[in-house]
């Protein structure tokens, strides 16, 4: 019995197969980066565990300080903890799931941006004249979705277990829902739900609603018909819902933490940090300049796009880049803050890819011109792949051969493992009610129950609110010594000797170690933990109060 597959069914199946292939490679790449993590993530783990245990949203029990910037992610982690699931493992699963959702959102928005309304993989009815155009649009959307799916920053941060992909998927979902709100005759703005979730997911999430307002004002002014009144009512209701929820949350925050913003913001603010923000931005531009040119060219050269979505994405891009510069960028690697923006740059580029594919497939265009465009397209994708995806071919061989990248190549994994080891050692050798001062407090705090005194300031307002100093340069030795920690954990790059210790890791630790009070009241343990990265060995050393 022969099975005949209709042309329409085949057209619907091919995008599904190709996008599934991209998702499969994304999952294999995430498996390769299984050891990717961040010590700061374990701060959220400890908050989540304490909340699940009924001790409140606190890092140290009884000490109400908001040392996280991802409220909704902490609540989700608390649910996992309540279910007795491993947070280091299941947070990765969640992050990867939201990463896969982000990839599909890129595919869907790319279609909507090019005025091709689709539901899952079935496009809207079309006549023969624009049927081929839809195929070009779908193919170009698959291309940008695939390139986004295998981009190094996106894959790396999807594997860490942080809230990055959750935040990204919400930002992209806000674009989709706002598009359908525009088409809907209902007065209820569904996008308001996404914006509320965004504001709860990250401290800065509320700004994306603020960024969307200019595009909506422009839309209302451009509509000179009976829909104008509907849009005004809908967006006014959206404003009321989002602002009301924001005020309610701020009132709870002030009641619970006695502050109107997360302490992490204070910790990262100060010392003309915008200079660092420009350097962070320039590092991104120097790495992704071709993608930026491609996206910019698509916006200004090609006019056949969804105007409302284009205005929203431009507002998001300009506004969020300005915010990133203002807050001083990010000290973590692989452009974590730019991941939602990378997705939008690829979406904007989709129309350029569609145009090139259309030229190549057009029978009426001269052969030599089509060959030239084909060469340009191949070189363009190849250059982008070489410079903005996983650059090392050996990495891709390992990804496809199911090899996991060694933790020794992920410095944060080394820091986490070393502090986990010293935490287990201290759990067995010092009293549970001890106070312990440290620089890296994430995994050390999660794998122990000690009261942790933070030298950097993420959970220490006295350190965080020194606005004349930059993040990671803030410290307050006198404040720390006044609290008389029972133990202090210091790091050095010089191998400790029995009666000798050289503090050469961080300026705050050096100032503490050289302080006369510390020299008088603390002595060094012989027990150490060490890890090596890029040929540099670092040692964790415990000091005990006499």
């Amino acid at each position: 019995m022969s099975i005949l597959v209709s042309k329409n069914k085949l057209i619907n199946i091919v995008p599904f197969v190709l996008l599934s292939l991209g998702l499969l490679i994304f999952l294999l790449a995430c498996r390769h980066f299984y050891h990717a993590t961040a010590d700061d993530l374990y701060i959220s783990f400890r908050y989540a565990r304490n909340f699940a245990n009924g001790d409140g949203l606190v890092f140290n029990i009884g000490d109400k300080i908001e040392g996280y910037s991802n409220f909704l992610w902490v609540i989700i982690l608390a649910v996992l903890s309540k279910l007795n699931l491993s947070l280091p493992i299941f947070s990765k699963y969640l992050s990867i799931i939201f990463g896969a959702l982000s990839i599909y959102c890129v595919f869907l928005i790319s279609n909507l941006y090019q005025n091709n309304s689709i539901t899952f993989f079935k496009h809207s009815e079309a006549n023969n004249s624009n049927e081929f155009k839809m195929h070009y649009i779908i193919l170009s959307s698959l291309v940008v979705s695939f390139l986004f799916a295998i981009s190094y920053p996106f894959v790396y941060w999807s594997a860490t277990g942080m809230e990055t992909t959750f935040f990204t998927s919400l930002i992209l979902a806000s674009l989709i829902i706002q598009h359908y709100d525009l088409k809907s005759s209902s007065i209820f703005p569904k996008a308001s739900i996404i914006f509320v979730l965004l504001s709860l997911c990250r401290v800065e999430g509320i700004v994306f609603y603020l960024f969307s307002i200019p595009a909506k004002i422009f839309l209302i002014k451009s509509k000179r018909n009976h829909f104008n009144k509907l849009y005004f009512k809908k967006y006014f209701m959206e404003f009321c819902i989002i602002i009301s929820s924001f005020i309610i949350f701020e009132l709870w925050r002030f009641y619970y933490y006695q502050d109107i913003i997360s302490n992490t913001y204070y910790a990262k603010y100060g010392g003309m940090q915008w200079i660092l923000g420009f350097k962070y931005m320039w590092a991104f531009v120097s790495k992704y300049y071709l993608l930026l040119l491609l996206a910019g060219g698509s916006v200004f050269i090609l006019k056949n796009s969804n105007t409302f979505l284009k205005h929203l994405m431009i507002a998001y891009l300009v506004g969020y880049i300005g915010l990133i510069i203002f807050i001083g960028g990010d000290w973590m690697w692989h452009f974590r803050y730019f991941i939602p923006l990378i997705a939008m740059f690829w979406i904007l580029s989709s129309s350029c890819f569609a145009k090139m594919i259309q030229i190549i497939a057009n029978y009426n265009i001269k052969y030599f011109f089509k060959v030239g465009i084909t060469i340009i397209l191949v070189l363009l994708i190849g250059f982008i792949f070489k410079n903005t995806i996983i650059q090392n071919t050996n990495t891709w061989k390992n990804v496809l051969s199911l090899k996991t990248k060694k933790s020794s190549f992920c410095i944060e994994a080394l820091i986490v493992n070393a502090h986990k080891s010293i935490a287990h050692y201290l759990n067995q050798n010092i009293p549970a009610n001890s106070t312990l001062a440290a620089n890296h407090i994430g995994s050390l705090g999660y794998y122990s129950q000690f009261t942790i005194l933070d030298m950097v300031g993420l959970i220490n307002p006295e350190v965080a609110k020194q606005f004349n100093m930059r993040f990671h340069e803030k410290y307050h030795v006198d404040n720390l010594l006044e609290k008389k920690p029972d133990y202090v954990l210091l790091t050095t790059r010089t191998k400790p000797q029995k009666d000798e210790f050289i503090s050469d890791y961080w300026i705050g630790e050096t100032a503490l170690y050289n302080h006369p009070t510390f020299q008088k009241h603390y002595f060094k343990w012989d027990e150490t933990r060490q890890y090596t990265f890029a040929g540099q060995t670092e040692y964790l050393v415990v000091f005990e109060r006499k």
Side-chain angles (χ1 to χ4, degrees), residues 475 477 503 506-515:
Y475 60 91
V477 173
S503 180
W506 175 57
I507 184 175
E509 290 189 0
T510 301
L512 174 64
Y513 178 74
N514 292 331
H515 197 283

Side-chain angles (χ1 to χ4, degrees), residues 105-119 137 141 172-173 175-180 183 304-310 313 347 350:
C105 285
V106 169
F107 173 74
L108 180 57
I109 299 170
S110 297
N111 278 275
L112 297 176
Y113 172 62
Q114 299 178 82
N115 291 313
N116 181 27
S117 299
I118 60 172
T119 303
I137 290 173
S141 300
L172 297 176
L175 294 170
I176 297 171
I177 303 302
Q178 286 178 95
H179 167 82
Y180 285 112
K183 304 293 184 182
N304 56 335
S305 59
N306 185 312
T307 304
F308 181 59
L309 272 179
K310 180 170 71 175
M313 284 189 283
I347 293 167
S350 61

Side-chain angles (χ1 to χ4, degrees), residues 147-211:
L147 291 173
F148 174 66
I150 60 176
S151 61
Y152 197 109
F154 177 64
V155 170
Y156 182 89
W157 288 107
S158 294
T160 61
M162 296 189 75
E163 76 284 353
T164 307
T165 55
F166 181 40
F167 190 56
T168 300
S169 64
L170 287 175
I171 293 170
L172 297 176
S174 74
L175 294 170
I176 297 171
I177 303 302
Q178 286 178 95
H179 167 82
Y180 285 112
D181 273 350
L182 180 64
K183 304 293 184 182
S184 173
S185 59
S186 171
I187 195 173
F188 180 75
K190 300 180 183 64
S192 60
I193 299 173
I194 302 298
F195 284 122
V196 170
L197 294 177
L198 264 173
S199 65
L200 295 175
C201 180
R202 291 277 309 174
V203 171
E204 69 273 19
I206 187 66
V207 300
F208 283 94
Y209 168 67
L210 301 179
F211 297 155

Side-chain angles (χ1 to χ4, degrees), residues 47 50-59 256:
Y47 272 96
N50 286 341
F51 185 61
N53 292 339
D55 296 319
L57 270 173
V58 295
F59 191 85
Y256 196 81

Side-chain angles (χ1 to χ4, degrees), residues 337-354:
Y337 285 171
F338 276 103
I339 289 176
L341 306 187
I342 291 174
M344 284 182 272
F345 283 130
W346 279 121
I347 293 167
L348 292 172
S349 302
S350 61
S351 59
C352 186
F353 283 106

Side-chain angles (χ1 to χ4, degrees), residues 61-72:
I61 296 175
D63 192 10
K64 292 184 177 181
I65 298 171
E66 189 179 2
Y68 56 85
S69 55
N70 51 353
F71 172 80
L72 190 55

